Amino acid sequence: MPIYRQMGLIPPKRHIVYRQPSGALYHEELFGTEGFSGMSSLVYHLYPPTMVKERGEPYSVRPKIAIEDNLQARSYLGFDLPATDDYLDSRKVLFLNGDMTIGIAAPRESMNDYFFKNADADELIFVHRGSGTLSTMYGSIDFGYGDYLVIPRGTIYRMRFDNADNRLQITESYSPVVTPPRYRNEYGQFLEHSPFCERDFRLPQNLETHDETGEFMVKIKKRGLIYPYVYNNHPFDVVGWDGCSYPYAMSIFNFEPLTGRIHMPPPIHQHFQGRNFVICSFVPRLYDYHPQAIPAPYHHSNIDSDEILYYVDGDFMSRNDIKQGQFTLHPGGIPHGPHPGAIERSIGKKETNELAVMIDPFNPVKITEDAISLEIGDYYHSWMHKNGVAV
Ligand SMILES: [Fe+2]
């Protein structure tokens, strides 16, 4: 996040003597996710962030691969995933490659007795159902329906949910999740034609400093294993911080769609990106306004990218019979396009209320056993016609 942010108490210069009222030094930590040259923040703790009391035995949450190589269009019913009490237990990876994982979660309970740290991946959490608060050492962010939460890897956090009905779509990225550089000028400011700008980001608020010692469980995820670490002090013991690395939220409803007289290609919907993938937001918008425009997309050959669509709400113009929480996976290598009848049906339509998140991994994804349990078996037949009618 190239927006500089400052909260709480910090000294006038970095790396100088900075003392607590007791006379003890505050403990400065440089927090960055790309060595010492990427975006980072300087954080001032009451206690050293290194005081490990106990280290428990790790356990595996590594996804089990069911299909290594795939060249078949597939679809999955995400809302068929049963809800699970615990946040970490509820997270299920459906697709993965060397750059990222793509999954879902339906947690019922807040994280009351532990904190979580993903040491592998930035997280991009899309809130499909539910609301609550993301708590971190940088402050907290309230979230609700339609929010993306971007959490840099290594951030210790806690999710609190307002009720038990929560549906999240979670993307993990082994590189920083960023906004498209083409939306920003050479100074990092969002350009006039960008579909969103600085005002649309919700940064951490209400920095609370917890001066507590005892036993604080942080579950740390590294290479698919969860390591239970017990720290001597509360991880949110920060009195102040400044910099450009911190979690933030942005609502999909703040993405301002770009429209035109004839069909605009998917890059106009781009919202985020990481190494070897992009994420697009399809939001309610006016359709193309050329008198003979075809609003539905043309068939297209995504030869060098898998395409994964996650349907959130509204009627999706190019598909028949799509449910909330449903995924489609259109693998790179074979063309795909609107379902039978969708092109004719779209002609003359003025607007759409569709809401969806599209994730395009440039390297092929493997499919997990958890995905197989949610799969609609015959989806790849869904473009077949018989006398002009889909069979
Ligand atoms: Fe597509």
Side-chain angles (χ1 to χ4, degrees):
M1 168 62 76
I3 302 173
Y4 174 80
R5 170 84 161 159
Q6 179 183 324
M7 285 189 82
L9 304 168
I10 59 171
K13 277 190 89 65
R14 53 193 176 182
H15 321 320
I16 62 170
V17 171
Y18 186 40
R19 293 192 185 280
Q20 305 181 29
S22 67
L25 287 167
Y26 285 112
H27 299 274
E28 184 186 56
E29 178 189 14
L30 176 83
F31 191 98
T33 62
E34 288 181 303
F36 295 93
S37 56
M39 286 180 286
S40 64
S41 290
L42 282 170
V43 181
Y44 295 86
H45 296 273
L46 295 177
Y47 301 93
T50 47
M51 296 170 73
V52 177
K53 209 167 183 178
E54 300 288 342
R55 178 190 62 77
E57 286 304 308
Y59 60 93
S60 177
V61 291
R62 237 168 238 167
K64 295 189 173 65
I65 309 294
I67 300 174
E68 287 272 352
D69 300 292
N70 176 57
L71 190 65
Q72 180 184 319
R74 297 173 183 273
S75 188
Y76 305 86
L77 294 170
F79 275 13
D80 278 6
L81 179 76
T84 303
D85 287 343
D86 179 67
Y87 172 68
L88 287 186
D89 290 346
S90 78
R91 292 163 54 118
K92 302 295 179 195
V93 171
L94 306 184
F95 318 108
L96 72 161
N97 64 21
D99 303 308
M100 64 194 307
T101 75
I102 298 159
I104 48 177
R108 271 194 290 252
E109 294 181 355
S110 300
M111 298 160 63
N112 291 318
D113 56 358
Y114 69 93
F115 303 83
F116 176 53
K117 171 166 134 174
N118 190 333
D120 285 327
D122 281 33
E123 297 192 349
L124 181 69
I125 301 176
F126 178 77
V127 181
H128 193 165
R129 266 197 201 163
S131 61
T133 304
L134 168 71
S135 301
T136 74
M137 69 177 174
Y138 302 96
S140 58
I141 301 170
D142 293 336
F143 62 81
Y145 172 54
D147 280 337
Y148 289 104
L149 299 171
V150 178
I151 307 173
R153 58 191 180 277
T155 304
I156 298 173
Y157 73 84
R158 198 171 233 183
M159 296 282 266
R160 293 193 188 282
F161 300 104
D162 294 333
N163 59 55
D165 184 15
N166 303 292
R167 292 277 166 183
L168 310 172
Q169 191 277 306
I170 302 176
T171 299
E172 294 178 285
S173 165
Y174 304 128
S175 60
V177 172
V178 297
T179 54
R182 70 175 187 278
Y183 291 168
R184 294 184 250 119
N185 65 21
E186 62 182 300
Y187 309 102
Q189 186 175 7
F190 284 93
L191 291 160
E192 281 294 308
H193 68 263
S194 170
F196 50 86
C197 74
E198 287 81 355
R199 295 184 194 186
D200 297 314
F201 297 101
R202 304 207 310 280
L203 278 45
Q205 305 289 326
N206 306 319
L207 179 66
E208 283 182 34
T209 307
H210 293 261
D211 185 356
E212 299 171 42
T213 54
E215 296 196 338
F216 299 88
M217 168 72 77
V218 181
K219 296 186 178 181
I220 304 173
K221 183 162 169 285
K222 183 77 177 173
R223 293 182 60 80
L225 298 179
I226 301 276
Y227 295 80
Y229 264 62
V230 178
Y231 279 89
N232 188 57
N233 54 281
H234 195 294
F236 303 162
D237 67 340
V238 172
V239 295
W241 63 271
D242 74 336
C244 294
S245 179
Y246 47 81
Y248 64 89
M250 180 180 164
S251 171
I252 194 171
F253 298 109
N254 279 334
F255 185 96
E256 296 300 332
L258 304 172
T259 59
R261 257 167 61 91
I262 55 174
H263 193 78
M264 306 274 274
I268 59 150
H269 303 283
Q270 192 185 341
H271 205 150
F272 301 102
Q273 68 185 55
R275 185 189 64 221
N276 295 328
F277 72 89
V278 296
I279 292 182
C280 298
S281 295
F282 288 83
V283 300
R285 62 193 181 279
L286 296 179
Y287 271 146
D288 320 317
Y289 48 88
H290 185 287
Q292 290 187 297
I294 296 177
Y298 30 74
H299 304 286
H300 50 282
S301 177
N302 49 309
I303 200 75
D304 57 354
S305 166
D306 283 359
E307 264 193 35
I308 294 170
L309 256 173
Y310 178 72
Y311 297 88
V312 180
D313 205 354
D315 291 329
F316 212 77
M317 64 168 159
S318 57
R319 307 272 142 201
N320 307 329
D321 191 26
I322 288 286
K323 295 184 170 59
Q324 285 193 12
Q326 187 170 346
F327 284 92
T328 56
L329 162 59
H330 298 129
I334 52 175
H336 66 278
H339 275 167
I343 293 176
E344 281 286 358
R345 207 167 55 229
S346 75
I347 296 171
K349 291 275 171 55
K350 299 297 181 204
E351 60 186 339
T352 176
N353 60 354
E354 69 186 15
L355 194 66
V357 175
M358 185 169 78
I359 305 158
D360 287 2
F362 301 156
N363 289 310
V365 294
K366 303 175 194 299
I367 299 165
T368 69
E369 289 181 4
D370 285 316
I372 297 297
S373 67
L374 306 172
E375 184 160 7
I376 302 168
D378 59 353
Y379 176 76
Y380 72 101
H381 277 140
S382 60
W383 291 270
M384 289 290 288
H385 289 262
K386 191 175 182 182
N387 301 324
V389 178
V391 296

